[in-house]
Amino acid sequence: MPWFVWLLAAAALGAAEFFTLTLVFGLLAGAALVAAVVAGVGIGLLGQLLALAAAAAAGLVIVRPVALRHLAQQPLTREGSDALIGKRAEVMQEVTATRGLIKLSGEEWSARALDESLVIPVGALVDVMEIEGATAVVYPRELLP
C-alpha cells in the first residue's frame, strides 16, 4: 500500500476527530501517519498493518486515558466571583443572617452570615465561604477551627 494512501486515511481520521472531539480518531490518525512512514521506508503491507495496530493500541491504551484525565481536571485558577471564595474581608456594617456590608478585595459587597444565629460586628475579619449572586456569605475568622 503506498504511503500517500495512509496520509489520506490520516487526513480523513483527523477531520473526523475535528468534528467528534473523542480523541479516538485523532489517535488513529497518528497511527495512520506511523503506517505512512513505515510504507515510505519500503516495508511491506504486513509491516504497515502491524505498525498501524501497534501505534493505535499504544495511543488508545496509554495516551487516551492520560489525556482524558487531564481534560477532566478542574482549572487551577478560579475566575470571576469564584475567585473571591476563601478570601478575607472586613466587616463595614454589622453582618446578620439577612444583611450586612463587607470590604472585599477593595470593593464593598453586601453580605450575610453563614450561621444564621451569628451577628458579626463592624471591624471583624471574616472569610468568604460562598458567593450567592451579589451577596457574599461569610463566617468570622476567630470562630474558624
Side-chain angles (χ1 to χ4, degrees), residues 8 15 26 46 50-51 53 56 58 64 71 77-78 82 85 87 93-94 102 106-107 109 117 119-120 131 136 138:
L8 289 174
L46 182 60
L50 287 175
R64 187 169 188 265
L71 287 174
T77 58
R78 295 185 292 182
D82 286 340
I85 296 173
K87 296 266 186 178
Q93 183 182 43
E94 186 177 76
I102 61 170
E107 299 176 345
W109 278 72
S117 66
V119 175
I120 306 169
I131 302 289
V138 298

Side-chain angles (χ1 to χ4, degrees), residues 65-136:
V66 172
L68 290 176
R69 206 171 23 245
H70 282 283
L71 287 174
Q73 288 179 349
Q74 293 292 327
L76 296 176
T77 58
R78 295 185 292 182
E79 298 175 344
S81 62
D82 286 340
L84 299 173
I85 296 173
K87 296 266 186 178
R88 182 185 308 181
E90 181 182 354
V91 175
M92 305 298 289
Q93 183 182 43
E94 186 177 76
V95 176
T96 64
T98 58
R99 69 169 80 170
L101 192 66
I102 61 170
K103 187 163 200 139
L104 173 62
S105 295
E107 299 176 345
E108 290 186 354
W109 278 72
S110 61
R112 71 172 183 82
L114 178 66
D115 184 350
E116 294 180 0
S117 66
L118 288 178
V119 175
I120 306 169
V122 173
L125 294 178
V126 293
D127 282 326
V128 177
M129 306 307 275
E130 59 185 282
I131 302 289
E132 292 179 351
T135 302

